[in-house]
Amino acid sequence: MAQDPGATVIQLGDAVLDLGRGTLTRDGQVVPLRSKAFQLLCKLACQPGRVVPKDELLNAVWPDVIVTEASLSQAVRDVRKALNDEDGQILRTVARRGFLLCLTALAAEATPARPIRSDALSDRPRIALLPLTDHTGSPDLLPIINGLVEEITTGLARFRNLTVIARHSAFAAAADRSLDLEGIGARLKADYIVDGSARLVEGRLVLAMALNQVRSGEVLWGESFTCEGTGWLTLQDLIPRQIVSRLFTSIEEAGLRGSLRRPAASLTAFERLAQGRALFRTFGPGVNEAALAHFAAAIEADPSLGVAYSYHGLADASLHEFNMAPLEVKHRIYAQGLRGVQLSPEESRCHGILSYFHGWLREFEQAEAAARRAVALNPCDADSLFNVANVLMIRGRAQESLDWFERAKDINPLWPSYYDNEHSMALLHLGHYEESARLLSRVPWRSARQEVRLAATYALMGERELARQHVAKAQALAPGQDFVHLARTSYPFEHERERQCLVDGIKRALAITDGA
C-alpha cells in the first residue's frame, strides 16, 4: 500500500500517514504538524509521484486567501521536519515546477502498510429521534415541529462519541405503523429512541420528550419544555440546546450504569470514558486517580478516541493541582491535549480542554481561540460554553464571562460543581461577594486554596467570624502554607488586577485571624 495512491494508510519513511483518520504518527505517537502543513501533505499524498504545481497547492491549501510562496515554502519545511526528511528525499522539489511526494525510493525499506480498521463506531451508542406526535391542531406548525427534531438530531450528532441515525431513516421507520418502539429500534439497530409529542397550551408550544432504552424498554429520561412563542428563531436557540444537553447527559449516565454491571475487561471505550467523566465531575479522595485509570483504559480500547487523550491530560493535571503543576507536567498534559485535537479535530471537548492547557501556559489568545472553536463545533455542549466563560474570566473580562456561565448552566441545569468554582471567581472580581461566597460554598471537598479564597470573600464582605472559620479550615488542610504567595503564583490570570483583588482579600482574612 505504500505505493498505492488510493491507500488510506501510507508509509512515509518511519512515519505513517492515515488519510482516513487524519493523523501522522511515528511509533504509535501523533507527530505534531500545523494545519496547513498537514493539508499540504495530504494533497501530495493523494497523488504520489506526480509533480503538483505550486499554484495548485496554493489554491488547495489556502483557498480564497492571498498568500505568497513563502507560506508554501514554510509548510514544505514543516512537512520535511515532521517526516525527518530534511534532505528532501521524500518530499522533493522540482525546480520551477512544484513538488512531488516520492514513495518509490522507500519501497525497499518500508513495510507495506495495511488498512487500519477501527470498530470504534460499533462501540458508540446508536440513537434515533422519531418525529413528535402533533397534537397542536395547527397544520402550519408541523414543519416547525419537524424542523425542531432535525435541529436536535444535528445537535446530538455534534457529540462525536454518539452515532445518530439519519433523520430520514428514523422518520421512515416511524411511519411503519406495524412497528412498536422495540421494532423500530431493531430496524434501525438503535440502542436508544427518543419520542414525544407537541401541543399548544395557552398559545405556547409545549414539547414532551422521552429517552427510551430499546433493550430494556425502560424510559431513562422524560421532560416537558415550554417554548415562549412558536417562531423558528425561538425554537432553534435555547430549547433545542437544552434538550440535546439533557439527552446526551442521560445517554452517558445510562452507559455508566450499564458499565458498572459488567466486568472491566468487556467495557467499551465509550463506557470507560463515561466512567472517567462521571468520576472527574465529582470531588473526593481518590476520584481523580480512578478517572485517570478509566481514561487510560479508554485509550487502550480505542487508540483513535481523541477525547480520551484530552481527558487523560485533564485528569493528570488534577493530580498536580492544575495550574500549580510543574512546567514539565504542563507540557506533558499539553501534548496529550494536542494529540486529542489532532485525532479528533471535530470534537468540541478536545478543543475546550486544550484551551485550559493554553491558559495554564499563559497562552491567553490561543486559549480563547480554542475555547471559541469548541463552541463553534458544538454550541449544544455546556462544557464548551463554560470553557469560554472560564477563559474570559482569567483574561480579566469577568462581566462578559457571566453571560457565558449562565448560558452553560441554562442548558445543563445539573451542572458539575466546578462550574460554581469558576463562576464564583468571576463574581469575586466584580465585587459581588455575597453571590461569590454562596456559589463557592456549594463546592464539596474544598481544597485549602478554595477554603482560603472563601475566607477572603467573607473578609471582603465584613463577615469576620466566617472568614476566621475558613482560614482555620485552610490552615488545617495545608499547615504552614503561605497563602498570599500561593495566590500570587497559582492562578493563571492575564492581568495583575485580578490577582491583587484575591491577594487583598486573603491578607484581610489572615489579619482578622491573627487579630482574634
Side-chain angles (χ1 to χ4, degrees):
M1 180 170 286
Q3 283 71 48
D4 179 4
T8 300
V9 180
I10 300 173
Q11 189 83 37
L12 297 170
D14 60 353
V16 175
L17 175 64
D18 189 328
L19 295 171
R21 291 182 176 176
T23 60
L24 179 69
T25 59
R26 180 179 290 108
D27 297 327
Q29 301 295 310
V30 174
V31 179
L33 193 58
R34 285 185 285 194
S35 173
K36 294 302 183 184
F38 187 80
Q39 291 178 42
L40 173 69
L41 177 59
C42 291
K43 174 70 176 176
L44 292 165
C46 288
Q47 40 194 328
R50 173 182 174 244
V51 177
V52 183
K54 293 179 180 180
D55 287 346
E56 185 176 330
L57 292 171
L58 288 167
N59 290 333
V61 179
W62 291 272
D64 305 319
V65 178
I66 299 175
V67 296
T68 66
E69 288 191 9
S71 298
L72 178 59
S73 299
Q74 181 60 54
V76 168
R77 286 194 292 271
D78 289 345
V79 170
R80 285 174 174 160
K81 182 178 179 180
L83 297 177
N84 291 331
D85 182 42
E86 281 79 0
D87 57 355
Q89 293 302 302
I90 301 174
L91 175 50
R92 296 188 177 182
T93 301
V94 180
R96 295 181 297 278
R97 293 180 59 195
F99 299 92
L100 82 141
L101 199 65
C102 183
L103 304 183
T104 54
L106 304 173
E109 57 187 84
T111 302
R114 295 183 300 275
I116 298 176
R117 286 181 49 83
S118 172
D119 296 322
L121 282 175
S122 65
D123 292 338
R124 300 175 185 175
R126 291 172 60 89
I127 182 170
L129 285 88
L130 305 186
L132 299 179
T133 303
D134 181 12
H135 296 305
T136 64
S138 175
D140 293 340
L141 283 179
L142 184 58
I144 293 176
I145 295 167
N146 287 341
L148 175 62
V149 175
E150 185 167 3
E151 191 77 10
I152 297 169
T153 301
T154 301
L156 273 178
R158 292 175 184 265
F159 290 93
R160 295 292 170 167
N161 51 344
L162 287 181
T163 298
V164 182
I165 308 300
R167 173 189 179 278
H168 69 272
S169 296
F171 276 42
D176 187 343
R177 300 301 179 186
S178 67
L179 297 176
D180 57 10
L181 282 183
E182 184 178 359
I184 293 172
R187 174 172 291 185
L188 298 174
K189 298 179 181 178
D191 301 297
Y192 304 95
I193 287 179
V194 178
D195 66 348
S197 62
R199 63 185 71 247
L200 283 175
V201 178
E202 297 180 353
R204 294 183 298 178
L205 187 63
V206 178
L207 309 173
M209 303 190 73
L211 175 68
N212 307 273
Q213 188 172 52
V214 174
R215 184 181 66 256
S216 66
E218 180 184 1
V219 178
L220 301 175
W221 166 84
E223 194 165 346
S224 293
F225 299 84
T226 301
C227 307
E228 298 297 331
T230 57
W232 179 239
L233 289 178
T234 299
L235 293 178
Q236 73 176 159
D237 190 24
L238 182 59
I239 294 298
R241 296 182 188 186
Q242 286 180 336
I243 294 171
V244 168
S245 178
R246 313 281 179 88
L247 283 170
F248 180 73
T249 300
S250 298
I251 293 167
E252 217 175 33
E253 289 175 350
L256 171 63
R257 290 197 301 271
S259 69
L260 296 176
R261 296 191 294 267
R262 297 173 55 202
S266 67
L267 298 182
T268 66
F270 174 84
E271 290 166 336
R272 285 291 197 179
L273 187 64
Q275 286 196 8
R277 275 171 49 84
L279 286 164
F280 193 70
R281 294 168 80 89
T282 63
F283 290 84
V287 295
N288 292 328
E289 291 87 347
L292 185 71
H294 282 298
F295 296 138
I299 292 170
E300 184 177 358
D302 181 5
S304 71
L305 189 61
V307 71
Y309 292 89
S310 299
Y311 274 109
H312 189 279
L314 197 56
D316 190 6
S318 72
L319 300 179
H320 296 84
E321 298 190 69
F322 299 103
N323 184 58
M324 296 171 64
L327 187 59
E328 63 270 19
V329 174
K330 289 180 180 178
H331 283 300
R332 182 176 75 214
I333 63 178
Y334 174 79
Q336 287 286 78
L338 186 63
R339 189 175 187 189
V341 167
Q342 289 172 331
L343 286 171
S344 302
E346 300 304 312
E347 171 59 74
S348 65
R349 289 173 294 173
C350 293
H351 292 272
I353 291 171
L354 186 61
S355 74
Y356 283 115
F357 302 161
H358 279 303
W360 297 338
L361 290 169
R362 302 189 64 78
E363 299 170 348
F364 297 108
E365 289 186 8
Q366 296 95 320
E368 184 171 346
R372 292 189 182 277
R373 173 63 176 159
V375 172
L377 287 168
N378 191 352
C380 300
D381 181 19
D383 284 352
S384 294
L385 301 176
F386 170 79
N387 290 339
V388 174
N390 184 64
V391 171
L392 293 174
M393 183 271 291
I394 67 172
R395 299 206 71 184
R397 289 145 63 186
Q399 186 63 53
E400 188 180 348
S401 76
L402 293 186
D403 178 58
W404 288 88
F405 281 123
E406 293 298 342
R407 288 169 62 185
K409 290 180 174 182
D410 274 343
I411 66 172
N412 182 14
L414 303 177
W415 64 83
S417 53
Y418 61 79
Y419 279 29
D420 286 334
N421 182 62
E422 304 303 332
H423 193 175
S424 72
M425 182 70 84
L427 292 164
L428 176 66
H429 293 164
L430 293 169
H432 301 171
Y433 303 133
E434 185 174 353
E435 181 66 4
S436 176
R438 185 181 70 83
L439 293 186
L440 187 52
S441 295
R442 296 197 314 208
V443 176
W445 300 98
R446 290 185 297 274
S447 66
R449 191 168 65 143
Q450 290 168 318
E451 288 290 356
V452 83
R453 175 153 65 89
L454 188 53
T457 309
Y458 282 128
L460 292 167
M461 290 169 60
E463 295 282 355
R464 299 172 62 86
E465 182 54 35
L466 288 171
R468 243 185 242 112
Q469 291 176 16
H470 288 283
V471 166
K473 290 181 179 180
Q475 290 173 337
L477 288 168
Q481 175 69 62
D482 183 344
F483 289 110
V484 171
H485 176 74
L486 183 67
R488 291 192 185 281
T489 58
S490 66
Y491 289 93
F493 300 132
E494 184 172 4
H495 306 293
E496 184 60 27
R497 63 179 180 269
E498 282 75 31
R499 186 172 291 103
Q500 193 59 46
C501 169
L502 180 57
V503 166
D504 289 344
I506 292 174
K507 285 181 175 180
R508 188 175 300 187
L510 293 173
I512 290 170
T513 302
D514 292 341

